């Protein structure tokens, strides 16, 4: 008979504090701080590199440190030739998130620091991962479309180079600013599912590539990062603001989960939504595509009235990515291109002060019962 006593059980670990972090804090009433700095001001003024430096190192960079960090990340963009060959080998129609996860896993074999989990080696590997996840997404997409690869432009920032490598056109300053803001909004979110997966993997003392591969796998699901691709499908189906309320009512009647709504932590609104909504409005005006924001707003009002649930950042990210010219299949990989900064910072923190993450489970199977052998299995 079991003599096991178990701690309190919370399905889905809801409300459970599973570890400490000094990287990011999420306030259920709509606040988000990176290393103590409110993301809102940084989102409109900082570069992604500045925020990545902050997440990884704990403090904002000086001008000189930022210039060095930006250059160091840019210098790591090239993918090893066998990784590019592998991307060519994947069957047509492979989802870009699967290309990304496979690419990250393969990259480990080309990093001389792979099995060194020291702080300094992890920071070096983090810069490579930040640079190369972007290249995996841009190169992977062009390969999947049968297009020639475009060489990096070292003088472009992370956001600028992402645009350029994907499309072949040097982006306008306002486009780079917008992508920097989006990257900053997505860069970290404390113990979200993919970051937690990365930390669980790192807590076994597996390397940072193993951890980021786990994170990529976890990000793909529509309850997490996959929601921004699924939201775009929904908005495409709705098409016009006058159809939004009925669409939502029908979906709720079917008890469907509506993508881009709800959040495990935020209950009074996702702190990133107002910024993403303004980007969507701005893009809509610039491009003459002003239908998306009213559709989203109508959905928000209906969901608030019917279920008191708030929109999350993925609802507005979806039309923003579409208006920036990105295909919907890249919505979640773009999230990953940003969130890798947070994943890496969390792996560094985990390895610097490690304890194996290994919770218990509540057994719900058959109680202990006697085993009756079917055959003597050769024994006499
Ligand atoms: N659409 C419809 N109902 C939703 C909902 C949504 N997007 N999100 C939550 N709910 C409802 C649930 O059906 C449940 O209702 P019930 O108590 O009547 O059964 C209640 O709200 C609690 O939801 P639950 O799924 O238990 O909350 P959670 O904290 O486990 O899940 C999410 C959080 C994010 C997974 C969930 O809100 C969701 O699936 N959202 C859609 C996917 C998404 O946008 N993900 C990106 C998150 S940033």
């Amino acid at each position: 008979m079991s003599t096991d006593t178990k701690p309190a059980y919370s399905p889905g670990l809801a409300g459970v504090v599973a570890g400490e972090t000094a990287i990011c804090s999420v306030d259920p009433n709509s606040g988000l701080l990176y290393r103590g700095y409110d993301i809102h001001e940084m989102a409109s003024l900082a570069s992604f590199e500045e925020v990545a430096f902050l997440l990884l190192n704990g403090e904002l960079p000086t001008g000189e440190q930022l210039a060095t960090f930006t250059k160091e990340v840019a210098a790591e963009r090239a993918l090893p030739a066998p990784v590019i060959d592998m991307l060519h080998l994947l069957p047509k129609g492979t989802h870009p998130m699967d290309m990304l996860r496979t690419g990250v896993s393969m990259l480990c074999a080309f990093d001389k620091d792979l099995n060194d989990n020291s702080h300094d080696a992890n920071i070096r590997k983090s810069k490579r991962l930040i640079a190369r996840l972007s290249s995996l997404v841009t190169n992977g997409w062009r390969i999947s479309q049968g297009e020639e690869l475009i060489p990096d432009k070292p003088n472009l920032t992370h956001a600028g180079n992402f645009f350029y490598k994907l499309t072949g056109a040097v982006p306008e300053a306002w486009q780079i600013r917008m992508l920097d803001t989006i990257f900053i909004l997505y860069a970290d979110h404390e113990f979200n599912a993919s970051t937690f997966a990365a930390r669980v993997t790192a807590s076994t003392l597996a390397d940072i590539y193993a951890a980021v591969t786990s994170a990529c796998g976890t990000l793909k699901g529509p309850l997490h990062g996959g929601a921004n691709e699924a939201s775009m499908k929904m908005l495409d189906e709705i098409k016009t603001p006058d159809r939004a309320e009925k669409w939502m009512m029908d979906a709720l009647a079917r008890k469907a989960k509506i993508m881009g709504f709800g959040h495990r932590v935020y209950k009074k609104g996702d702190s990133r939504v107002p910024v993403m909504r303004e980007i969507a409005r701005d893009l809509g005006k610039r491009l003459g595509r002003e239908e998306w924001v009213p559709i989203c707003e109508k959905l928000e009002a209906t969901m608030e009235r019917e279920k008191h649930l708030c929109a999350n950042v993925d609802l507005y990210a979806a039309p923003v990515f579409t208006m920036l010219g990105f295909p919907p299949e890249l919505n979640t990989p773009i999230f990953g291109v940003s969130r890798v900064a947070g994943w890496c910072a969390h792996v560094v923190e985990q390895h610097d002060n490690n304890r194996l993450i290994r919770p218990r489970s509540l057994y719900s199977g058959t109680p202990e019962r006697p085993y009756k052998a079917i055959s003597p299995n050769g024994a006499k």
Side-chain angles (χ1 to χ4, degrees):
M1 206 176 73
S2 173
T3 55
D4 204 4
T5 51
K6 294 275 174 61
Y9 168 48
S10 174
L13 299 182
V16 170
V17 173
E20 290 178 42
T21 182
I23 299 167
C24 174
S25 76
V26 178
D27 177 344
N29 297 323
S30 270
L32 176 56
L33 307 180
Y34 293 164
R35 301 279 189 187
Y37 293 101
D38 190 315
I39 58 138
H40 288 90
E41 232 183 320
M42 282 193 294
S44 57
L45 297 174
S47 67
F48 171 71
E49 285 90 331
E50 189 177 342
V51 168
F53 183 100
L54 172 71
L55 292 171
L56 286 172
N57 298 293
E59 297 296 336
L60 285 168
T62 61
E64 201 180 315
Q65 285 171 323
L66 178 59
T68 306
F69 182 80
T70 303
K71 238 181 172 165
E72 285 171 347
V73 171
E76 298 286 0
R77 285 174 182 154
L79 295 177
V83 173
I84 295 177
D85 293 345
M86 179 280 290
L87 293 173
H88 278 285
L89 287 173
L90 291 172
K92 209 172 159 38
T94 301
H95 193 281
M97 266 317 283
D98 298 325
M99 294 182 108
L100 179 64
R101 190 197 61 243
T102 310
V104 171
S105 183
M106 188 169 175
L107 277 175
C108 82
F110 299 88
D111 196 318
K112 57 186 183 316
D113 289 321
L114 178 63
N115 293 314
D116 181 351
N117 289 343
S118 66
H119 182 91
D120 289 353
N122 274 344
I123 295 286
R124 286 196 296 278
K125 287 183 279 187
S126 297
K127 290 179 213 165
R128 292 175 197 137
L129 278 160
I130 290 170
R132 293 180 191 169
L133 256 76
S134 175
S135 302
L136 281 170
V137 173
T138 53
N139 285 356
W141 180 253
R142 292 190 72 86
I143 287 168
S144 73
Q145 301 304 297
E147 289 167 356
E148 289 292 313
L149 299 187
I150 295 171
D152 292 293
K153 262 199 195 299
N155 61 330
L156 284 176
T157 61
H158 197 64
N161 191 61
F162 181 86
F163 260 118
Y164 173 70
K165 285 240 300 187
L166 197 66
T167 63
V170 175
E172 306 269 346
W174 64 266
Q175 290 173 306
I176 297 177
R177 177 63 261 162
M178 270 182 194
L179 194 54
D180 263 320
T181 300
I182 293 161
F183 281 164
I184 291 169
L185 292 180
Y186 268 130
D188 198 33
H189 217 223
E190 52 123 280
F191 276 28
N192 62 90
S194 57
T195 301
F196 190 58
R199 289 193 76 130
V200 169
T201 303
S203 84
T204 69
L205 297 185
D207 63 87
I208 196 167
Y209 285 87
V212 172
T213 306
S214 296
C216 284
T218 310
L219 188 70
K220 184 184 176 189
L223 299 191
H224 186 19
N228 60 11
E229 181 181 341
S231 294
M232 198 59 230
K233 281 203 187 97
M234 169 182 82
L235 297 176
D236 268 336
E237 208 177 299
I238 297 173
K239 286 191 177 65
T240 54
D242 57 306
R243 287 164 44 93
E245 183 173 1
K246 179 166 182 336
W247 188 96
M248 172 74 91
M249 295 304 286
D250 290 347
L252 289 178
R254 289 195 311 275
K255 302 225 171 300
K257 272 269 168 93
I258 318 294
M259 294 295 124
F261 283 91
H263 198 274
R264 175 58 70 75
V265 181
Y266 294 125
K267 296 303 168 207
K268 294 191 179 157
D270 180 330
S271 61
R272 301 159 297 180
V273 162
V275 184
M276 200 63 97
R277 195 193 285 115
E278 280 324 298
I279 297 178
R281 221 187 286 284
D282 182 356
L283 273 169
K285 279 197 193 115
R286 284 174 192 271
L287 304 171
R289 300 192 62 185
E290 292 184 69
E291 70 282 16
W292 298 121
V293 173
I295 295 175
C296 294
E297 286 177 330
K298 194 76 202 168
L299 292 174
E300 281 194 272
T302 311
M303 189 60 129
E304 173 56 38
R305 187 187 72 213
E306 297 298 317
K307 295 203 68 152
H308 303 298
L309 282 174
C310 300
N312 61 56
V313 70
D314 294 320
L315 179 70
Y316 284 95
V320 161
F321 289 161
T322 294
M323 287 189 275
L324 285 172
F326 304 136
E329 300 94 308
L330 289 189
N331 289 5
T332 311
I334 292 170
F335 183 165
V337 166
S338 157
R339 183 59 58 86
V340 65
W343 293 334
C344 289
H346 281 269
V347 173
V348 173
E349 190 178 57
Q350 185 70 38
H351 279 164
D352 282 355
N353 188 12
N354 189 57
R355 183 141 198 234
L356 178 73
I357 300 172
R358 201 293 191 197
R360 296 299 312 278
S361 67
L362 192 62
Y363 179 65
S364 60
T366 312
E368 187 173 0
R369 47 186 161 167
Y371 167 69
K372 283 191 202 117
I374 297 169
S375 74
N377 194 23
K380 289 235 164 94

